[in-house]
């Protein structure tokens, strides 16, 4: 895939509130401007251009409720508008009518490689239907399906949230390595900042509770 520039901006309707004495007291205490009457817009993040190219990983971190998912969806929409083949991890099929090794159109050796790269190499799992897997195992199976797909860009929200931290770091390392080797790209959102070192993102964005998007220092390559 060629490198593309995606412009995003996050604005959502802000519901009108009745300014009671309690609302006014809290607003004054924390320096918040309340908008009585007609609904206004709330800025989740300012306009920002994000470049996404082959072998690159864009990592979005920040607290819950800060707007990471909204930013992720905006970047996904921009990539689709640019004609990129995008795969959303949560939409990858988890079949219930075949074994994990039969869920791939590629030769068996390649299928086993994709599954192992995603952290699924236990023999007893390979012959079971993925729909029977645990939540964390299904996350890894979906990742294996992406590895085997022709998608250019992976979109994943709450990346690694269903995995224990050791497994999450191993999977993150494998994903980052895969992207750099194959020239595909990933845009990931998560509250877990401990994955940055393994993912080695080319761009790490911090989405705080305000409107600003900050650039985080990148980890040193290892």
């Amino acid at each position: 895939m060629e490198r593309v520039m995606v412009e995003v901006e996050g604005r959502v309707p802000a519901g009108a509130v009745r300014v009671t004495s309690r609302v006014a007291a809290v607003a004054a205490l924390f320096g918040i401007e309340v908008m009585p009457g007609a609904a206004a817009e709330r800025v989740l993040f300012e306009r920002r251009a994000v470049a996404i190219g082959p072998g690159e990983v864009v990592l979005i971190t920040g607290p819950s409720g800060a707007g990471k998912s909204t930013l992720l969806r905006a970047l996904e929409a921009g990539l689709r508008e640019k004609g990129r083949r995008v795969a959303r991890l949560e939409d990858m099929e988890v079949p219930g009518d075949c074994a994990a090794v039969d869920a791939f159109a590629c030769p068996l050796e390649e299928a086993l490689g994709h599954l192992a790269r995603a952290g699924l190499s236990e023999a007893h799992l390979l012959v079971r239907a993925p729909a029977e897997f645990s939540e964390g195992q299904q996350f890894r199976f979906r990742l294996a399906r992406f590895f085997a797909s022709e998608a250019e860009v992976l979109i994943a929200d709450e990346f690694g949230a269903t995995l224990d931290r050791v497994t999450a770091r191993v999977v993150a390392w494998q994903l980052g390595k895969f992207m750099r080797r194959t020239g595909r790209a990933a845009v990931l959102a998560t509250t877990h900042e401990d994955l940055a070192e393994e993912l080695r993102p080319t761009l790490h964005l911090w989405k705080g509770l305000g409107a600003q998007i900050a650039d985080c220092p990148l980890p040193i390559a290892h």
Side-chain angles (χ1 to χ4, degrees):
M1 60 172 279
E2 297 180 358
R3 203 162 199 254
V4 296
M5 188 70 70
V6 178
E7 287 196 0
V8 293
E9 185 176 22
R11 295 178 180 272
V12 296
V17 298
R18 186 163 58 91
V19 183
T20 63
S21 59
R22 289 191 178 191
V23 170
V26 171
L29 181 62
F30 293 100
I32 302 171
E33 182 181 3
V34 291
M35 300 289 294
E41 280 189 326
R42 182 164 67 94
V43 179
L44 288 179
F45 47 89
E46 303 287 355
R47 183 178 295 273
R48 169 76 186 247
V50 178
I52 304 172
E56 297 185 343
V57 174
V58 176
L59 177 63
I60 305 167
T61 58
S64 179
K68 298 187 302 299
S69 297
T70 302
L71 175 56
L72 185 69
R73 288 193 296 269
L75 289 169
E76 178 187 356
L79 286 163
R80 292 186 186 277
E81 288 175 4
K82 298 285 185 178
R84 297 300 177 265
R85 298 190 302 275
V86 176
R88 187 185 292 121
L89 189 63
E90 64 189 42
D91 291 342
M92 303 299 284
E93 183 185 3
V94 179
D97 58 352
C98 67
V101 293
D102 289 328
F104 299 82
C106 57
L108 176 60
E109 186 176 348
E110 291 183 27
L112 293 174
H114 294 314
L115 288 161
R117 187 176 297 110
L120 290 174
S121 56
E122 303 95 324
H124 70 281
L125 292 177
L126 302 179
V127 296
R128 285 174 52 194
E132 301 174 4
F133 289 178
S134 69
E135 211 175 345
Q137 290 165 346
Q138 287 186 3
F139 172 89
R140 287 179 278 164
F141 177 80
R142 289 188 173 97
L143 197 57
R145 290 294 292 264
F146 167 75
F147 291 148
S149 75
E150 296 183 354
E152 296 175 296
V153 186
L154 172 67
I155 301 291
D157 200 1
E158 296 299 336
F159 181 81
T162 59
L163 306 178
D164 65 79
R165 302 325 303 152
V166 173
T167 302
R169 289 170 70 102
V170 171
V171 169
W173 185 84
Q174 290 282 11
L175 177 63
K177 180 182 177 182
F178 178 83
M179 294 302 177
R180 291 186 292 274
R181 180 175 62 83
T182 61
R184 301 200 213 179
V187 186
L188 316 172
T190 179
T191 56
H192 297 286
E193 294 186 60
D194 61 337
L195 301 182
E197 184 178 354
E198 274 66 35
L199 284 168
R200 287 172 52 190
T202 48
L203 178 62
H204 184 177
L205 301 175
W206 167 261
K207 179 64 192 76
L209 296 174
Q212 185 180 9
I213 304 174
D215 289 62
C216 297
L218 298 179
I220 299 173
H222 59 277

